[in-house]
Amino acid sequence: MDSLEKLLNRWSQDTEFIDRSENWFSNAPVAASFVEIQPANMHPLLVQALRQFNISRLYSHQYQSFITAKESQNFIITTGTASGKSLCYNLPVLDNLLNYPWSTALFLFPTKALSQDQVKNVNLLINQLNQLGADLPEAVIYDGDTPMHRRSQIRKNARILISNPDMLHLGILPHHTNWDTFFKNLSFVVIDEAHYYRGIFGSHVCNLIRRLKRITAFYSGNPHFILTSATISNPESFAEKLIETPVKLISDDGSPRGARHFVVYNPPFIEPRLGIRRSAYVDTLHLARDLMDAGLQSIIFARSRPAVEKLVYDLRNSLNISREKIRGYRSGYLASERREIEQGLKNGDVQIVVATNALELGIDIGEMKAAILVGYPGSIASLKQQSGRAGRKANASIAIMVATAGAIDQYLARHPEYLNNPPEHALIDPDNLIILLHHLRCAAFELPFAKEAEFGSLSKDMLGQLLDILSSAGDLSRGEQKYFWTSNSYPADSVSLRSASPEIITLHSIEDNRMRPIGEIDPHSAYWMTHPQAIYLHDGLMYRVDNLDLKEKMAYLSP
């Protein structure tokens, strides 16, 4: 009997735990569905490389993805967490690169952390292929953190380019003439975690893809699209709206899944007459202690950055454990600190991580056995994503949603069947006039618009009217056959895809007359989180803000 099973047995016999568990759902384990690799379909070196990793067969969805890509179809894959989706795009891209060494591929990830995570996976395969006699350059990351001295070399030599929508928008498409060979030979565009591109951000990204297609067409390129996504209710229609091209849906998950338990846990009353319950944070501490005592690596999802820090601080104090065993993870941590935490999770040095939804995405964080959600995260989709971070492959796992005193949480505690509903639809509106006009300016800067040009699914009449509006505003000059960009501005600079400020304020701690950076914050949050004399929590440590210099984009703190 393993440690999780022992803990579940103890909880199932604990009358207090059972009384507070409004419902306990369990899913039986599922066996894997395999398909033998067919050497006739795959480049011989790739078959050999996979065998070096003891892979002689693929999960059924991985094989279906490979065949679909070989048939030059666009597709979206929506299998569960830890189902091996990386191979669904790495295999067809590498197979194509082996057959056509000049071909290129663009991998888009919504966060830098995902880029760092995935570049290691694909380069493991590339290095193995090169040991077997291939001559492939390694996949490279091109984003805001890429040193300036490396960028020119990457533009010339990249075959698999890993980036994010923000860098594509600001640093690649506006300078496409520096990437002409790359765009001419672009065979695949991979869009990972496609469900992330909903709402305003997704509406921006759809227009970004319109611009990308326009530029690849200019260089006679015609890439195929591969999308991956967590569970959403409308994957096929959403993907087709995002890339404005027909796609095939691959949703039959062939990966193994261990037994999964899900508990809705409602803290007890402390004043029944008034309906007042104990704080969800108190019960989260109790549950985390049980998981820690059982030796189970766990993740706790909190709903805000201050909540993450409060939980980290209280967990360390109540469990009397070293800082390295319990870590926080949220926006505002330095990239080096996030990489350190991710590595600590993979090798088991970190036993509990407390995170915002920054860890919802598919970053490899090791063999999590348990997840605690402090309150309902706001959507069924997020609930499934956060719960799915526990349990890898055939291992059993448990996820516990600890209800807060809020009305929605208390409703769900009494009606847990609601949580079995399908996840929400992912919606975008790429033709929103404000967003569309922003991207038409960017597109005109990149390439002139012909009179009968197209821009995605936008009608030619509508496009003509909008270009006339931009011409009247002085952004474009209308010639006999084309609209040209004439403004002195650089339009991409004034468009934030995420509707957030691109500016960052660096937080510096002054200790022993030495100054060191400890984190980052956006200007909007700085006003209420790092104003002078504020107490700022970072990784469970408390700092006092001595000065906030918005002009220099610096904040100075003391322990």
Side-chain angles (χ1 to χ4, degrees):
M1 186 181 293
D2 69 9
S3 53
L4 176 59
E5 194 175 350
K6 289 178 183 177
L7 179 60
L8 294 180
N9 282 340
R10 180 164 73 79
W11 277 347
S12 66
Q13 297 170 26
D14 184 335
T15 55
E16 288 188 1
F17 185 91
I18 295 301
D19 287 345
R20 297 167 194 170
S21 301
E22 299 288 346
N23 219 311
W24 187 324
F25 304 97
S26 296
N27 293 326
V30 177
S33 173
F34 289 107
V35 177
E36 294 292 331
I37 293 174
Q38 305 297 323
N41 295 328
M42 191 177 288
H43 194 282
L45 284 181
L46 191 52
V47 174
Q48 290 181 51
L50 289 174
R51 285 177 179 159
Q52 294 296 315
F53 291 104
N54 296 318
I55 299 174
S56 60
R57 52 186 183 167
L58 300 173
Y59 297 141
S60 55
H61 63 273
Q62 293 173 333
Y63 185 76
Q64 188 181 0
S65 299
F66 182 80
I67 295 302
T68 303
K70 292 284 279 188
E71 294 171 348
S72 300
Q73 295 186 64
N74 307 301
F75 65 90
I76 180 169
I77 180 162
T78 60
T79 53
T81 53
S83 59
K85 286 196 282 279
S86 297
L87 279 183
C88 293
Y89 51 81
N90 283 338
L91 291 183
V93 167
L94 290 174
D95 182 78
N96 188 71
L97 203 58
L98 288 167
N99 287 309
Y100 308 100
W102 59 87
S103 67
T104 61
L106 173 64
F107 289 11
L108 291 177
F109 298 98
T111 66
K112 292 178 182 177
L114 270 172
S115 297
Q116 294 284 344
D117 197 47
Q118 291 302 319
V119 74
K120 297 172 187 173
N121 290 336
V122 68
N123 280 335
L124 277 175
L125 267 173
I126 289 174
N127 291 333
Q128 187 61 57
L129 286 166
N130 288 339
Q131 288 179 31
L132 293 169
D135 186 23
L136 302 179
E138 285 196 334
V140 289
I141 294 176
Y142 192 86
D143 60 22
D145 294 337
T146 304
M148 296 301 294
H149 69 272
R150 291 197 61 223
R151 296 190 178 191
S152 176
Q153 182 184 12
I154 290 173
R155 288 193 292 266
K156 291 177 183 176
N157 301 321
R159 289 296 175 266
I160 297 179
L161 186 72
I162 295 176
S163 191
N164 54 56
D166 310 87
M167 192 62 175
L168 183 65
H169 162 65
L170 283 167
I172 298 177
L173 295 185
H175 309 291
H176 60 88
T177 53
N178 296 327
W179 297 86
D180 53 347
T181 302
F182 182 85
F183 285 122
K184 179 181 179 181
N185 298 308
L186 187 60
S187 300
F188 286 100
V189 176
V190 174
I191 302 176
D192 194 37
E193 304 285 355
H195 63 281
Y196 197 82
Y197 303 116
R198 295 176 290 188
I200 291 174
F201 186 31
S203 302
H204 276 293
V205 170
C206 178
N207 280 288
L208 183 66
I209 293 169
R210 288 170 169 176
R211 289 162 51 195
L212 172 64
K213 285 183 173 181
R214 189 165 173 259
I215 285 172
T216 55
F218 176 76
Y219 291 105
S220 302
N222 183 29
H224 300 292
F225 287 82
I226 300 174
L227 300 91
T228 75
S229 175
T231 305
I232 52 176
S233 285
N234 60 329
E236 195 170 1
S237 61
F238 170 67
E240 289 181 347
K241 189 160 189 177
L242 184 68
I243 67 171
E244 297 183 313
T245 305
V247 301
K248 178 179 178 179
L249 173 63
I250 298 176
S251 57
D252 292 333
D253 193 340
S255 63
R257 295 184 295 284
R260 296 198 171 182
H261 303 272
F262 181 81
V263 176
V264 179
Y265 185 96
N266 207 6
F269 285 110
I270 56 174
E271 183 51 74
R273 188 172 57 86
L274 298 176
I276 299 174
R277 292 182 180 270
R278 193 162 67 193
S279 166
Y281 289 93
V282 173
D283 280 66
T284 296
L285 293 174
H286 294 328
L287 294 169
R289 182 181 291 110
D290 284 348
L291 294 169
M292 175 69 79
D293 290 342
L296 300 174
Q297 193 180 44
S298 312
I299 183 168
I300 300 174
F301 283 103
R303 288 155 68 175
S304 67
R305 288 174 286 182
V308 165
E309 296 299 341
K310 175 173 168 49
L311 273 169
V312 171
Y313 180 81
D314 290 343
L315 278 168
R316 284 179 183 159
N317 287 331
S318 65
L319 298 177
N320 192 26
I321 200 166
S322 67
R323 172 180 177 270
E324 290 73 22
K325 288 289 183 183
I326 299 177
R327 301 298 300 267
Y329 191 102
R330 60 171 176 81
S331 62
Y333 283 20
L334 297 173
S336 57
E337 192 171 15
R338 291 197 298 272
R339 300 296 90 76
E340 175 194 333
I341 296 166
E342 291 159 15
Q343 188 58 44
L345 288 166
K346 289 177 191 176
N347 60 30
D349 291 341
V350 177
Q351 193 163 347
I352 294 179
V353 61
V354 186
T356 58
N357 59 3
L359 275 182
E360 263 188 33
L361 300 177
I363 303 167
D364 182 7
I365 53 173
E367 301 291 326
M368 288 287 169
K369 290 291 186 72
I372 300 177
L373 286 61
V374 186
Y376 179 60
S379 69
I380 299 292
S382 286
L383 180 88
K384 290 183 180 294
Q385 274 291 98
Q386 294 181 9
S387 301
R389 297 306 278 157
R392 308 287 291 185
K393 298 182 180 177
N395 296 327
S397 63
I398 184 168
I400 305 172
M401 190 191 92
V402 182
T404 67
I408 292 177
D409 282 32
Q410 288 305 307
Y411 173 85
L412 294 173
R414 291 174 174 80
H415 302 86
E417 66 278 2
Y418 179 88
L419 299 175
N420 289 323
N421 284 332
E424 298 78 11
H425 281 62
L427 303 175
I428 56 174
D429 180 16
D431 293 338
N432 173 288
L433 277 178
I434 295 174
I435 293 173
L436 183 56
L437 285 169
H438 277 314
H439 286 277
L440 285 175
R441 290 187 181 95
C442 296
F445 176 90
E446 292 154 3
L447 288 171
F449 273 101
K451 287 291 177 61
E452 293 297 313
E454 296 180 348
F455 192 67
S457 61
L458 203 64
S459 71
K460 290 182 179 180
D461 287 343
M462 176 61 75
L463 178 59
Q465 292 178 43
L466 294 174
L467 292 175
D468 285 338
I469 290 172
L470 293 176
S471 179
S472 301
D475 291 326
L476 305 182
S477 173
R478 179 175 178 176
E480 289 188 10
Q481 298 297 325
K482 293 183 178 180
Y483 293 87
F484 297 90
W485 179 257
T486 54
S487 173
N488 291 325
S489 64
Y490 179 67
D493 249 354
S494 61
V495 182
S496 173
L497 301 186
R498 302 173 197 251
S499 290
S501 171
E503 295 182 348
I504 289 295
I505 291 172
T506 305
L507 310 179
H508 289 271
S509 173
I510 302 174
E511 304 170 37
D512 299 326
N513 294 322
R514 292 185 177 182
M515 189 167 64
R516 67 180 181 91
I518 62 166
E520 300 170 337
I521 196 168
D522 61 278
H524 176 74
S525 300
Y527 284 108
W528 66 277
M529 293 184 71
T530 57
H531 59 80
Q533 300 307 309
I535 302 301
Y536 183 78
L537 286 166
H538 182 90
D539 195 24
L541 302 175
M542 286 190 284
Y543 297 85
R544 184 188 66 248
V545 181
D546 299 319
N547 184 33
L548 173 62
D549 190 332
L550 292 172
K551 184 177 179 181
E552 297 295 326
K553 299 182 179 59
M554 302 273 272
Y556 301 96
L557 303 84
S558 302

